[in-house]
């Protein structure tokens, strides 16, 4: 009987020992496999046998699976792997194809468990930003509880994805750190020593709440995909109870709006002279298209709808009747600008979103909440700022019961421009802030590029101090936390310069 001791989930150690055992023709039932914390010592390895037979080859699929199974927490993996290896090299070369075999089925289950654990760790690690006390550099630290000791298996993934940042991932079994040059592994860390929340989590929560679909709530499926044991380290998990409680009322509101939209379309389709061949899809489609076209007829520009009395409340009321482009047809209402008429700062976004379309006010959805948070941090009072959009109606694409934001076309932006020019002409701001490319190109020309000129102060026909920066909704849609943090820093820096310029104007 041979006793083999391995240290940790080390496939290389197992492979070396398995080679030796195969070369000495030691059958599986003559080997005891143990980890490093047992009260045994490895016996001296037997002398090399000059007459030993060469180790036979095995399918590449077995080696790939064995490398994953090596990270399973159950120590039964080692004798199981050796037993499968023995059978593959002793008359059963096609063993892996026999899925009903007990050894194969058990290996497949272990392989699946580890692969699923790796997937969950890729998805559920949430870094929190800390500052290195010695260097002042940002250091991103995460704590995660995987089912299996897979830190060394996943370290390469995080090194490739977040290679430009210093980061550390802590788990109860082991930790790993990346200093932009090399990976360093250390002991496990309990949850009570995990880092505290940082400001980036607020953005992540806002984004999660904005993509939560109340019409597709399946709690069992959600818990299966996002296991409850990970919730303690997921900032968005704090929102789930409230979002579930609000789901029924939000669904009722969505259904009510869908019914109203369908009723309007049905009414529009009842046009004189239309001959619809009931029961044929082609006729129904043609009828609906004709009805939509007729109902959404537009003038191509908002100019005919601009009232002679140029006051903001009058403009806001007149905008509700605008048919300058087709967007009015599906939107709930026109969302006009909001803020003091004597504001020194005007912020211009792209278009209202789903929340704004329902409430009839600009920047009240997730992007508006993010804008409010940043304005508060940089000392820029919202009540001193007039906020509006380049396009006054919500453009969206229906996807099931959801309305997904769609970028307005250049023709739609041009059609809506008279409203924006009327607002700016009345307010005459000292400072103009364009949020996003659509607003910037609407006012500064189609050649303007946010990526090239973001944050640069320039003079425009509407304000001597004009700057373009990122749109807060674009920040919310960046999935990469590192890239999102960098863009968030740029956005906050731009608004901080706006706040400083406002203070200079107020002192002058």
């Amino acid at each position: 009987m041979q006793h083999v001791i391995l240290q940790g989930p080390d496939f290389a150690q197992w492979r070396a020992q398995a080679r030796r055992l195969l070369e000495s023709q030691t059958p599986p039932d003559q080997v005891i496999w143990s980890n490093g914390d047992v009260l045994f010592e490895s016996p001296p390895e037997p002398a090399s046998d000059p007459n030993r037979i060469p180790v036979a080859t095995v399918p590449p699929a077995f080696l790939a699976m064995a490398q994953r199974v090596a990270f399973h927490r159950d120590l039964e993996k080692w004798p199981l792997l050796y037993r499968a290896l023995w059978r593959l090299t002793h008359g059963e070369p096609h063993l892996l194809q026999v899925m009903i075999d007990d050894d194969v089925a058990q290996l497949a289950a272990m392989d699946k468990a580890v692969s699923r654990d790796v997937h969950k760790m890729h998805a559920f690690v949430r870094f929190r930003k800390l500052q290195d006390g010695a260097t002042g550099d940002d250091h991103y630290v995460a704590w995660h509880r995987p089912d299996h000791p897979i830190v060394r298996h996943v370290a390469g993934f995080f090194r490739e994805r977040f290679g430009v940042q210093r980061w550390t991932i802590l788990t109860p079994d082991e930790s790993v750190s990346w200093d932009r040059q090399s990976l360093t592994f250390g002991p496990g860390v309990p949850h009570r020593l995990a880092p505290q929340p940082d400001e980036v989590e607020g953005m992540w929560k806002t984004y999660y709440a904005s993509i939560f679909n109340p019409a597709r709530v399946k709690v069992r499926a959600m818990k299966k995909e996002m296991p409850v044991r990970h919730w303690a380290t997921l900032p968005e998990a704090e929102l789930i109870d409230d979002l579930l409680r609000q789901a029924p009322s939000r669904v009722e509101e969505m259904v009510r709006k869908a019914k109203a939209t369908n009723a309007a379309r049905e009414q529009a389709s009842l046009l004189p002279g239309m001959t619809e061949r009931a029961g044929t899809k082609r006729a129904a489609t043609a009828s609906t298209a004709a009805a939509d076209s007729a109902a959404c007829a537009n003038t191509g520009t908002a100019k005919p709808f601009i009232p002679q009395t140029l006051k903001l409340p009058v403009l806001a009321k007149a905008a509700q009747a605008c048919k300058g482009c087709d967007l009015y047809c599906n939107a709930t209402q026109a969302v006009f600008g909001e803020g003091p008429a004597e504001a020194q700062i005007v912020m211009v976004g792209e278009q209202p979103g789903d929340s704004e379309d329902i409430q009839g006010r600009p920047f009240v959805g997730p992007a508006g909440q993010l804008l409010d948070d940043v304005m508060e941090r940089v000392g820029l009072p919202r009540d001193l700022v007039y906020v509006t959009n380049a396009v006054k109606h919500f453009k969206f694409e229906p996807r099931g019961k959801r309305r997904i934001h769609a970028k307005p076309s250049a023709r739609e932006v041009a059609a809506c421009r008279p409203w924006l020019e009327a607002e700016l002409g009345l307010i005459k701001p000292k400072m103009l802030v364009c949020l996003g490319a659509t607003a910037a190109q609407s006012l500064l020309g189609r050649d303007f590029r946010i990526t090239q000129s973001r944050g640069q102060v320039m003079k425009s026909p509407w304000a001597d101090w004009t700057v373009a920066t990122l749109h807060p909704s674009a920040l919310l849609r960046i999935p990469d936390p590192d890239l999102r943090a960098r863009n968030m820093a740029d956005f906050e820096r731009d608004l901080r310069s706006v706040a400083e310029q406002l203070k200079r104007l107020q002192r002058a």
Side-chain angles (χ1 to χ4, degrees):
M1 184 71 70
Q2 291 202 36
H3 194 170
V4 179
I5 300 176
L6 301 178
Q7 302 289 337
D10 193 328
F11 171 76
Q13 282 187 50
W14 174 85
R15 185 176 187 177
Q17 294 292 345
R19 276 179 179 273
R20 182 182 62 78
L21 292 167
L22 273 187
E23 289 174 355
S24 63
Q25 288 297 295
T26 304
D29 59 0
Q30 294 298 307
V31 184
I32 298 175
W33 298 85
S34 303
N35 63 356
D37 57 0
V38 297
L39 300 177
F40 296 96
E41 292 183 355
S42 293
E45 294 185 3
S48 177
D49 181 357
N51 298 319
R52 67 185 182 184
I53 61 174
V55 176
T57 58
V58 294
F62 174 75
L63 287 178
M65 180 173 63
Q67 292 182 56
R68 293 189 293 271
V69 170
F71 288 98
H72 200 282
R73 192 175 294 280
D74 190 344
L75 294 180
E76 180 61 22
K77 62 191 175 185
W78 300 129
L80 179 62
L81 283 171
Y82 184 62
R83 192 159 60 244
L85 176 62
W86 178 271
R87 294 176 63 185
L88 283 168
T89 56
H90 288 76
E92 298 181 75
H94 304 297
L95 173 65
L96 296 184
Q97 299 175 17
V98 186
M99 297 306 296
I100 59 173
D101 182 89
D102 289 345
D103 288 345
V104 175
Q106 194 172 351
L107 280 174
M110 286 186 169
D111 185 17
K112 183 178 180 180
V114 171
S115 297
R116 178 178 172 81
D117 204 29
V118 169
H119 171 72
K120 297 301 180 188
M121 189 162 178
H122 288 170
F124 294 149
V125 163
R126 297 285 186 268
F127 287 104
R128 288 168 170 166
K129 186 170 71 174
L130 306 178
Q131 208 161 50
D132 190 301
T135 65
D137 292 343
D138 291 340
H139 188 179
Y140 293 85
V141 182
W143 191 90
H144 183 74
R145 190 199 303 274
D147 290 335
H148 304 281
I150 56 174
V151 168
R152 291 175 187 265
H153 189 33
V154 301
F157 168 85
F158 289 99
R159 178 190 58 202
E160 296 300 322
R161 189 161 188 179
F162 305 112
V164 298
Q165 298 286 353
R166 291 182 62 228
W167 53 259
T168 296
I169 300 176
L170 310 172
T171 79
D173 298 299
E174 195 174 22
S175 61
V176 57
S177 294
W178 168 251
D179 61 1
R180 302 191 189 97
Q181 294 183 342
S182 60
L183 293 169
T184 304
F185 295 91
V189 175
H191 187 209
R192 59 185 172 79
L193 299 180
Q196 298 301 309
D198 66 352
E199 69 273 13
V200 178
E201 291 188 4
M203 288 194 306
W204 178 249
K205 289 179 181 177
T206 302
Y207 171 71
Y208 182 79
S210 70
I211 64 172
F212 185 87
N213 186 352
R216 295 184 178 179
V217 173
K218 294 181 179 178
V219 177
R220 290 183 61 185
M222 183 176 66
K223 288 183 177 179
K224 183 178 179 181
E225 185 62 28
M226 185 191 291
V228 176
R229 65 179 181 278
H230 294 307
W231 287 19
T233 57
L234 299 176
E236 65 269 30
E238 298 177 4
L239 306 175
I240 292 176
D241 286 343
D242 286 341
L243 291 172
L244 291 178
R245 277 194 294 271
Q246 297 167 7
S249 60
R250 292 181 62 187
V251 170
E252 288 178 5
E253 175 65 17
M254 292 168 68
V255 171
R256 185 191 64 76
K257 292 188 63 180
K259 287 182 177 178
T261 301
N262 290 337
R265 288 196 171 191
E266 289 176 1
Q267 186 175 7
S269 67
L270 299 177
L271 299 176
M274 288 294 299
T275 55
E276 183 176 334
R277 289 180 295 172
T280 64
K281 184 176 180 180
R282 178 181 297 178
T285 302
S287 175
T288 302
D292 285 349
S293 177
C296 297
N298 67 75
T299 60
T301 175
K303 282 184 180 178
F305 305 93
I306 303 293
Q308 291 184 347
T309 302
L310 293 180
K311 292 184 178 180
L312 289 175
V314 178
L315 286 173
K317 186 176 181 179
Q320 300 305 322
C322 182
K323 297 182 179 179
C325 69
D326 288 345
L327 297 184
Y328 78 92
C329 197
N330 293 320
T332 304
Q333 57 191 312
V335 181
F336 209 69
E338 184 178 271
E342 66 282 3
Q344 292 184 303
I345 304 175
V346 170
M347 287 188 177
V348 183
E350 180 189 85
Q351 64 163 344
D354 186 76
S355 299
E356 288 81 3
D357 176 70
I358 295 172
Q359 299 186 40
R361 297 179 56 202
F363 288 95
V364 293
Q369 293 168 26
L370 174 60
L371 179 63
D372 288 349
D373 291 343
V374 177
M375 289 175 69
E376 184 178 359
R377 282 206 296 274
V378 303
L380 190 58
R382 170 77 178 256
D383 57 1
L384 297 183
V385 180
Y386 184 92
V387 291
T388 188
N389 286 295
V391 175
K392 308 304 184 192
H393 283 107
F394 179 35
K395 182 177 182 179
F396 61 91
E397 295 175 357
R399 191 172 300 169
K401 294 181 179 179
R402 299 176 61 193
R403 303 192 303 172
I404 305 300
H405 163 274
K407 183 180 175 67
S409 67
R411 185 175 57 182
E412 290 158 348
V413 173
C416 211
R417 186 178 163 115
W419 293 115
L420 182 57
E421 290 181 337
E423 290 175 289
L424 295 174
L426 282 173
I427 299 172
K428 296 182 172 55
K430 298 285 180 51
M431 304 168 65
L432 179 61
V433 181
C434 300
L435 301 173
T438 298
Q441 291 173 355
S442 171
L443 294 172
L444 303 175
R446 297 188 61 181
D447 293 334
F448 187 89
R449 295 290 180 269
I450 284 286
T451 52
Q452 298 173 4
S453 304
R454 181 201 57 76
Q456 296 180 13
V457 178
M458 61 196 82
K459 186 175 181 178
S460 73
W462 295 275
D464 289 345
W465 202 98
T466 300
V467 69
T469 186
L470 302 165
H471 196 289
S473 67
L475 295 169
L476 293 173
R477 290 197 293 265
I478 299 175
D480 186 324
D482 179 51
L483 181 61
R484 186 172 62 243
R486 289 203 301 271
N487 282 276
M488 184 66 189
D490 290 340
F491 180 65
E492 186 168 330
R493 189 181 306 113
D494 292 340
L495 291 197
R496 194 177 299 282
S497 71
V498 174
E500 292 170 353
Q501 176 64 14
L502 177 63
K503 291 177 182 176
R504 285 193 284 270
L505 286 174
Q506 292 172 333
R507 288 195 296 266

